Amino acid sequence: MLNIKSSNLKTIADTILEATIVGSFSNVGYGARDRLFGLGPIDADLSGQRALVTGGTGGIGRAVAEGLVALGAHVTLTSRKLARAQEIAEEISSARPDALCDGLQLDTGDFDSILAAAETLRRTARIDMICHNAGALTSEYRTTEGGMEQTLASHLVGPYLLTKELRSHLVKGARVIWMSSGGMYTQGLDLDQLEMEENDYRGAIAYARAKRAQVELVSYLAPRWAPEVVMHSMHPGWVDTPGVEQGLPGFRTITGPILRTPEQGADTMIWLAATGGGSAAPGSFWLDRRPRSTVYRPGSASDEAQRQELVEWLELVTLPATVG
């Protein structure tokens, strides 16, 4: 059992752990940080607050929904299939007599679905939290009905549109948290390569590029939307989920014993949604309740001009939806 009393020594130990990658992203890292900093129960009462959790029917998303419900929030969780969303919402509600949880149909890769969901959500009294979790890593090249590559649409473009549509309905101090991935460290932001074509498509790369773009988007938007909206991105580490099993079967076979549980992967998103991250700079990137660097690989850093170009591109591609 670690017993490091000095905050400086704890920070040094955490920095060394972060540099190992495997140790940091695995359940070893989560356990070590729990001993260093205490990743215990979240001290927050979310009674009367409403949260939206996209992709909330399984894996990390369901763990986020359950965690927020346990803190008293009224959670709306989404799925591409309404029946599935309602089924899981009922399961969560049945497990706690005081739970408030409902399901909503939402496909974050479909503009029409996003606009319909946003219209439904704007009928609620308030929205205090948005947890962007929906999306999947797919090995096969797919496009939306509008012709955009599916991974990019569902992880980046659709969630951006949804956030814009709901911005006017967010309460002051609302928290918007984006679930990125440690895979984003392998890619830089390059608009010319952001949307992959069928002839060169590789699922893991498309996923990592979309996740990198999420982080850069949040870095740009968060200071501009603060303090009315508190926005951060984070990654969950390596988590044993159905998505990893289906999208990265070889990776799961090798790393299975050290993968995190969905609850461990969800912890930082729940904590950020509940607390806003305290005094951390707007748009910080988090793992295990602590801000992290967004760059490991030389040449993968982005500047403000690139981020602005990304936002301008997002405005352009979502324009057909916003003008009706």
Side-chain angles (χ1 to χ4, degrees):
M1 176 69 70
L2 290 172
N3 185 22
I4 302 175
K5 295 183 178 179
S6 166
S7 60
N8 289 336
L9 288 178
K10 290 180 180 181
T11 300
I12 291 170
D14 179 53
T15 301
I16 294 171
L17 179 64
E18 179 75 357
T20 68
I21 308 297
V22 173
S24 179
F25 291 9
S26 67
N27 57 23
V28 175
Y30 185 89
R33 292 183 179 117
D34 186 22
R35 293 190 290 274
L36 284 168
F37 305 112
L39 304 179
I42 298 168
D43 184 17
D45 181 1
L46 302 181
S47 299
Q49 299 191 37
R50 295 189 67 112
L52 172 67
V53 180
T54 68
T57 60
I60 296 173
R62 176 166 180 165
V64 170
E66 291 175 334
L68 293 176
V69 164
L71 294 175
H74 181 159
V75 173
T76 297
L77 59 86
T78 78
S79 171
R80 285 176 293 181
K81 296 182 178 180
L82 177 59
R84 178 64 173 165
Q86 292 174 332
E87 175 190 0
I88 300 305
E90 177 60 29
E91 289 181 7
I92 293 174
S93 297
S94 298
R96 301 181 64 92
D98 57 345
L100 294 171
C101 189
D102 53 66
L104 178 69
Q105 192 279 329
L106 173 65
D107 181 346
T108 57
D110 183 323
F111 285 0
D112 289 340
S113 176
I114 292 166
L115 296 178
E119 179 62 26
T120 298
L121 290 163
R122 285 194 294 265
R123 298 190 197 111
T124 64
R126 58 187 288 160
I127 299 176
D128 299 85
M129 293 157 272
I130 301 176
C131 295
H132 285 300
N133 173 76
L137 192 164
T138 58
S139 58
E140 296 180 0
Y141 178 81
R142 301 173 184 170
T143 60
T144 67
E145 289 189 7
M148 181 175 289
E149 191 275 310
Q150 182 70 50
T151 301
L152 180 63
S154 61
H155 286 270
L156 178 68
V157 180
Y160 175 71
L161 175 60
L162 178 64
T163 306
K164 282 206 311 175
E165 288 292 308
L166 294 177
R167 183 181 180 183
S168 64
H169 205 58
L170 297 175
V171 302
K172 186 174 182 179
R175 287 81 68 198
V176 178
I177 314 301
W178 295 67
M179 178 69 72
S180 185
S181 164
M184 75 97 196
Y185 282 116
T186 66
Q187 301 294 317
L189 177 63
D190 184 343
L191 275 183
D192 292 333
Q193 299 184 23
L194 186 55
E195 184 174 8
M196 300 188 75
E197 302 293 338
E198 185 172 10
N199 60 354
D200 66 351
Y201 182 78
R202 294 173 62 186
I205 293 178
Y207 181 83
R209 288 178 181 174
K211 291 300 186 181
R212 163 60 73 178
Q214 285 182 338
V215 172
E216 302 300 343
L217 172 65
V218 171
S219 294
Y220 185 86
L221 289 184
R224 290 162 173 81
W225 287 24
E228 287 76 15
V229 176
V230 177
M231 189 181 302
H232 294 292
S233 60
M234 47 82 59
H235 79 91
W238 294 339
V239 182
D240 191 7
T241 66
V244 169
E245 183 177 6
Q246 295 168 14
L248 296 170
F251 174 81
R252 184 177 183 273
T253 298
I254 294 170
T255 61
I258 60 171
L259 293 180
R260 298 180 177 206
T261 66
E263 290 72 24
Q264 291 171 336
D267 177 75
T268 295
M269 177 166 266
I270 298 168
W271 181 79
L272 285 171
T275 68
S279 60
S284 294
F285 183 58
W286 300 74
L287 170 66
D288 294 336
R289 305 190 195 179
R290 296 180 72 83
R292 306 290 170 180
S293 171
T294 61
V295 178
Y296 282 162
R297 185 173 62 84
S300 61
S302 301
D303 59 30
E304 196 71 354
Q306 290 174 296
R307 298 184 189 110
Q308 181 175 344
E309 188 179 6
L310 171 64
V311 173
E312 291 172 352
W313 177 80
L314 286 166
E315 284 292 305
L316 180 64
V317 296
T318 58
L319 183 61
T322 57
V323 298

